[in-house]
Amino acid sequence: MAMVLATLWLLLGFTVWCDLQYNKGWSMIDSLYFCVITLSTVGLGDLVPQIDGSTLIFFLVYVVIGLGLFAEIISEISDFLESRYRQSLGKPASLEMMLKENFPGGVRRRARATHEYDARPADHLSARVSKNPIIGQSAEGGAAYS
């Protein structure tokens, strides 16, 4: 879905920049190039639009929304590549990927909460360290940890 939205957003920007910059010497390829370079955050600076106040507002909205869409596309590509890599190794998909694909919302929240709870360090470990005669004692003989 993000790919479709980003494509439509890119076409919107392309259409607007073609219209706004055509009289200033930009070709259609220049407008498309500017849109892709801007939204991918490369920003080479070889094409700089001449804009006024209303065009600046459009540009700011276009960039903020477009950056979010492109970030989502990069995230989806990364998830896809990670799943393919894990499949090639014979490993199960990561917890986040399994939750995204296979479970309804309530199950996702409970699984994520359980996973975060299990990943926390156990409270009893700090008590064990403070009772350890080598680790838990300072040079004066007192406890090193409070």
Side-chain angles (χ1 to χ4, degrees), residues 34 46 67 73 75 81 108-109 121 127 132:
F34 176 76
D46 51 348
L67 289 176
I73 289 172
S75 175
L81 292 175
R108 274 188 237 154
R109 284 191 296 279
N132 187 317

Side-chain angles (χ1 to χ4, degrees), residues 15-36:
T15 305
V16 170
W17 288 117
C18 277
D19 184 48
L20 293 174
Q21 300 297 320
Y22 182 74
N23 294 335
K24 296 175 176 112
W26 283 23
S27 68
M28 292 174 66
I29 298 295
D30 289 338
S31 297
L32 181 62
Y33 172 77
F34 176 76
C35 291
V36 171

Side-chain angles (χ1 to χ4, degrees), residues 68-103:
L69 290 171
F70 268 67
E72 180 62 27
I73 289 172
I74 291 170
S75 175
E76 287 181 9
I77 291 170
S78 173
D79 289 346
F80 174 75
L81 292 175
E82 180 186 0
S83 69
R84 289 297 175 137
Y85 177 71
R86 287 180 172 272
Q87 285 175 354
S88 71
L89 295 177
K91 293 183 178 181
S94 68
L95 175 68
E96 285 299 317
M97 292 175 67
M98 288 190 302
L99 292 177
K100 247 188 219 180
E101 296 170 1
N102 300 325
F103 297 106

Side-chain angles (χ1 to χ4, degrees), residues 102-130:
N102 300 325
F103 297 106
V107 175
R108 274 188 237 154
R109 284 191 296 279
R110 286 189 298 246
R112 189 173 290 116
T114 302
H115 178 71
E116 289 170 358
Y117 178 79
D118 290 343
R120 291 185 308 169
D123 293 331
H124 69 278
L125 289 179
S126 60
R128 239 189 332 187
V129 168
S130 65

Side-chain angles (χ1 to χ4, degrees), residues 126-146:
S126 60
R128 239 189 332 187
V129 168
S130 65
K131 292 179 183 175
N132 187 317
I134 296 171
I135 299 173
Q137 299 290 323
S138 66
E140 293 83 27
Y145 301 99
S146 56

